[in-house]
Amino acid sequence: MLFIAGFSAVYESITRIIEILNNTVDPINQVPLVVIVEGIAILSAIGLFVYQRHVGRSFNNLTIISQSVDSKNHIFIGSAVILGAVLSLFNIFWVDAIVGIFIGFGILRDAFGLLKDAKSSYDGEETDFSKYKTVFGDYVNINHLETFRLWILFSVHNKDANTQEELVKSFNDTFKNNYIPVISELGLLPNKDLDFNSNFDEIIIHLIDNNWLEKDGGIYKITESGLNHLDVILNDFNNFDVKFSDSLLLKLSNEN
């Protein structure tokens, strides 16, 4: 279906360009109605995309992910139609046709990508589902890193963990080898399968670059700026909305 949609979008766009060049293009009638209908269709496609991508990533199901790609393309196509309808009011007819060509090639690119993944899966190879981003996926990963960095500041200051070995042990004891009610049940422990030792430099470099932590030989020390940053974050918990956080945790648990 994606191949048909892609070739169809490219064909229709090229045909429209030819009609424009020959001055035979028909203006769009009922522009407000077109905008309303396509707007509703776009909102529906957005809802489907979010749901399908979420379910597809949760179960690593390539079929459902392909449906989310189709929904995403409907969003682009609907947007191009609205753009063309609005510009037609100003007798500008070629912009949506050009955009349509790019959208068509984008659909074909997605189709070939999905075909490649389907073939790899059929051949028994592992499919990289991480490239199919979810709405909250990047946000969750970023906040996992922030969690680790906050824990480093806290451990250096309060737990006398000053070396890489001590901090890695603290990571493993806290995020891997520990059971936290509700959080563990929801699978919300940040990156429980992460190799902290191998990824230690990626986690800690941000703290050093921001002058929150300094390294003296193999010893890490928290700076005055780091203490202030840690105090600001910890003080935020005094005004923490537990109801909101519970709702957010339940939502993010499905994106983890």
Side-chain angles (χ1 to χ4, degrees):
M1 288 297 293
L2 286 176
F3 283 105
I4 295 174
F7 283 117
S8 176
V10 173
Y11 174 79
E12 292 292 338
S13 297
I14 293 175
T15 300
R16 184 168 177 80
I17 290 174
I18 294 173
E19 290 176 348
I20 293 171
L21 294 175
N22 293 329
N23 292 319
T24 59
V25 64
D26 295 323
I28 298 177
N29 297 318
Q30 303 285 340
V31 171
L33 180 62
V34 170
V35 172
I36 292 173
V37 172
E38 288 297 331
I40 295 173
I42 288 173
L43 291 176
S44 300
I46 291 174
L48 280 172
F49 168 75
V50 172
Y51 174 75
Q52 291 165 342
R53 183 58 61 88
H54 166 72
V55 174
R57 278 297 307 276
S58 296
F59 295 97
N60 287 339
N61 188 307
L62 194 60
T63 301
I64 300 178
I65 287 177
S66 68
Q67 293 174 350
S68 74
V69 173
D70 187 48
S71 297
K72 178 192 71 175
N73 292 327
H74 279 300
I75 297 172
F76 292 145
I77 292 172
S79 300
V81 171
I82 290 178
L83 178 66
V86 172
L87 291 178
S88 70
L89 295 173
F90 305 96
N91 293 320
I92 301 174
F93 302 108
W94 55 270
V95 174
D96 61 314
I98 300 296
V99 172
I101 291 177
F102 284 101
I103 291 175
F105 281 116
I107 294 173
L108 291 174
R109 180 199 60 195
D110 290 339
F112 279 111
L114 286 168
L115 180 63
K116 181 181 177 181
D117 286 339
K119 183 180 183 302
S120 298
S121 179
Y122 180 80
D123 292 339
E125 300 176 9
E126 186 175 352
T127 302
D128 179 17
F129 289 98
S130 63
K131 61 186 176 183
Y132 299 107
K133 303 297 184 182
T134 59
V135 175
F136 297 101
D138 290 337
Y139 173 81
V140 172
N141 289 333
I142 290 172
N143 278 275
H144 283 172
L145 285 176
E146 292 303 319
T147 300
F148 300 145
R149 288 162 182 159
L150 173 61
W151 185 255
I152 287 177
L153 294 178
F154 181 81
S155 297
V156 170
H157 181 54
N158 294 282
K159 291 180 171 291
D160 294 325
N162 303 111
T163 67
Q164 178 172 338
E165 291 75 16
E166 291 171 342
L167 288 169
V168 168
K169 182 179 184 300
S170 177
F171 274 140
N172 289 330
D173 290 343
T174 303
F175 296 110
K176 283 189 176 181
N177 304 326
N178 202 8
Y179 175 82
I180 302 175
V182 181
I183 301 297
S184 297
E185 294 295 336
L186 291 174
L188 286 174
L189 284 177
N191 292 35
K192 61 181 180 180
D193 297 322
L194 180 68
D195 184 344
F196 294 114
N197 195 51
S198 299
N199 294 273
F200 186 80
D201 290 339
E202 177 189 356
I203 296 171
I204 206 166
I205 190 65
H206 179 76
L207 300 175
I208 296 175
D209 289 344
N210 282 278
N211 195 34
W212 294 333
L213 207 66
E214 60 183 21
K215 184 177 181 181
D216 183 9
I219 303 298
Y220 292 97
K221 299 178 181 178
I222 190 168
T223 64
E224 189 67 29
S225 177
L227 283 172
N228 293 334
H229 178 68
L230 181 63
D231 287 340
V232 168
I233 294 176
L234 294 179
N235 287 335
D236 284 343
F237 284 97
N238 294 330
N239 301 315
F240 200 64
D241 188 338
V242 177
K243 254 189 191 178
F244 172 78
S245 67
D246 287 347
S247 300
L248 183 61
L249 286 174
L250 286 171
K251 176 64 182 172
L252 297 183
S253 66
N254 295 321
E255 299 290 344
N256 188 13

